[in-house]
Amino acid sequence: MKHATIIDIAKKLGISPSTVSRALSDHPDVKKETKELVRKVAAELNYTPNPIAQSLKSNKTTTIGVVVPEIRHDFFSLAISGMEEVAYRSGYNIILTQSNENYEREVVSVNVLMHQRVAGMIISIAQNTKSGEHFQDVLRRKIPIVFFDRAFEDLPISKVVVDDYRGAFDSVSYLIGKGYKRIAHIGGPKELGICQRRRKGYIDALQHHNIMVDESLIYSVGMRESDGYAAMDSLLQLSNKPDVVCCVNDPVAIGAYQRLKEGGLSIPQDVGVVGFSNNKITGFTDPPLTTVEQPSFEMGKNAAETLIGIIENKIQEPVVKTLSTKLIVRGST
């Protein structure tokens, strides 16, 4: 269906397109009667401004591009809600894309947003992103980027993260205090910064409490339910099984849950489970999942506030905002 344009309005009224344009922008040189007539016809034709055309004309856009690994999980959906609240309040709108945890799709999403002439981008990278060349392309075009949660560590770009290390350290310390001895760790890809920090928090907590680190209890997998399921299956093949498993995120923990349930094992009597994020589903599992809460909505708000600050020249240098985590103890431990 063809969208009405300024030219269509001009033809219907028998005036010039430039007069229509000035009338729609409330230019003082256009008579009040003409403005009212133009607006009436625009409404009749269901005319809406073309934001890309407007940005080309004014060399300014109020659209923010967002790239997330997946929308289906609460962490990212809540973070997006936080971004939208700040964007709406500040006169910006959002274009949302997802990489589906795939580097190639992430590159495509970033390129599409560049060609949409967005004012800036908020990005959480895919689990297999190892090159930052597509981010360099964005920066070369003077389009600011803010990373949230998962950042490409090799670039001096503003980011909003949580204290991943402390979250993991505190959860393992809690487990040790509860008497757990064989504590396994199902981590994500080794290259991801959040995975590195959560793994280090796990290891340092064991060493702090004089518990030897057993490499056979440490797995580096992906960030999805299927990865947690497969890693838990491998752990159950060990002759000396773990008595609790710390997972890099809640989806991985849910996958581990599924494998334990299928194996007829009781949680936490046979094996305890800890997640990371505090997705809504963790309160409805049987038993409810102990997890590390990330303030996802606040992370989204902070990311949008930071990006808009950069766009409007209120922030000149890269900043790092680190939010605190909180251990949520439930029945799985």
Side-chain angles (χ1 to χ4, degrees), residues 201-240:
Y202 158 81
I203 290 173
D204 285 0
L206 292 178
Q207 294 176 337
H208 180 77
H209 292 89
N210 299 314
I211 295 177
M212 186 178 70
V213 177
D214 184 346
E215 291 292 337
S216 71
L217 296 178
I218 301 176
Y219 281 78
S220 295
V221 292
M223 306 291 278
R224 290 174 165 165
E225 291 90 343
S226 57
D227 300 306
Y229 184 99
M232 192 73 249
D233 183 68
S234 297
L235 286 166
L236 292 178
Q237 308 307 315
L238 297 174
S239 56
N240 192 4

Side-chain angles (χ1 to χ4, degrees), residues 70 72-73 127 186 221-232 249-259 279 281:
E70 290 183 311
R72 66 191 180 100
H73 291 304
Q127 64 179 12
I186 303 178
V221 292
M223 306 291 278
R224 290 174 165 165
E225 291 90 343
S226 57
D227 300 306
Y229 184 99
M232 192 73 249
N249 64 9
D250 288 340
V252 167
I254 296 300
Y257 248 62
Q258 184 183 356
R259 179 63 186 88
N279 288 350
I281 192 174

Side-chain angles (χ1 to χ4, degrees), residues 14-77:
I15 59 178
S16 69
S18 60
T19 300
V20 173
S21 178
R22 290 198 301 273
L24 290 171
S25 61
D26 202 25
H27 197 284
D29 289 347
V30 181
K31 293 179 181 179
K32 180 181 177 183
E33 296 80 5
T34 303
K35 290 178 183 177
E36 291 174 352
L37 196 58
V38 167
R39 289 170 187 152
K40 180 174 180 293
V41 172
E44 290 172 356
L45 296 177
N46 293 317
Y47 167 79
T48 55
N50 183 331
I52 296 177
Q54 287 185 327
S55 67
L56 285 168
K57 184 177 179 181
S58 65
N59 201 30
K60 182 181 179 182
T61 175
T62 56
T63 300
I64 292 170
V66 177
V67 185
V68 297
E70 290 183 311
I71 300 170
R72 66 191 180 100
H73 291 304
D74 286 339
F75 171 78
F76 289 112
S77 61

Side-chain angles (χ1 to χ4, degrees), residues 291-302:
T291 186
V292 177
E293 182 179 63
Q294 293 177 275
S296 50
F297 187 82
E298 291 301 318
M299 288 182 74
K301 287 181 65 176
N302 273 269

Side-chain angles (χ1 to χ4, degrees), residues 145-164 194 197 298-299 302-303 305-307 310 315-324:
I145 296 173
V146 171
F147 289 122
F148 81 101
D149 187 47
R150 308 184 198 171
F152 191 78
E153 308 286 342
D154 296 341
L155 293 174
I157 292 176
S158 293
K159 55 188 176 182
V160 178
V161 295
V162 297
D163 193 341
D164 297 294
I194 63 169
R197 291 186 288 275
E298 291 301 318
M299 288 182 74
N302 273 269
E305 288 167 353
T306 302
L307 181 64
I310 297 170
I315 298 175
Q316 306 293 335
E317 299 294 331
V319 297
V320 178
K321 295 184 179 180
T322 304
L323 307 185
S324 299

Side-chain angles (χ1 to χ4, degrees), residues 122-189:
I122 303 173
I123 299 172
S124 187
I125 67 172
Q127 64 179 12
N128 64 341
T129 296
K130 298 181 178 67
S131 169
E133 183 55 38
H134 52 310
F135 303 134
Q136 296 277 23
D137 289 342
V138 176
L139 298 175
R140 279 193 284 268
R141 293 173 183 243
K142 307 297 184 184
I143 300 173
I145 296 173
V146 171
F147 289 122
F148 81 101
D149 187 47
R150 308 184 198 171
F152 191 78
E153 308 286 342
D154 296 341
L155 293 174
I157 292 176
S158 293
K159 55 188 176 182
V160 178
V161 295
V162 297
D163 193 341
D164 297 294
Y165 174 88
R166 177 53 59 182
F169 186 96
D170 288 349
S171 62
V172 174
S173 296
Y174 157 77
L175 293 172
I176 294 169
K178 292 286 288 184
Y180 288 103
K181 295 285 192 289
R182 286 186 58 76
I183 303 172
H185 178 66
I186 303 178

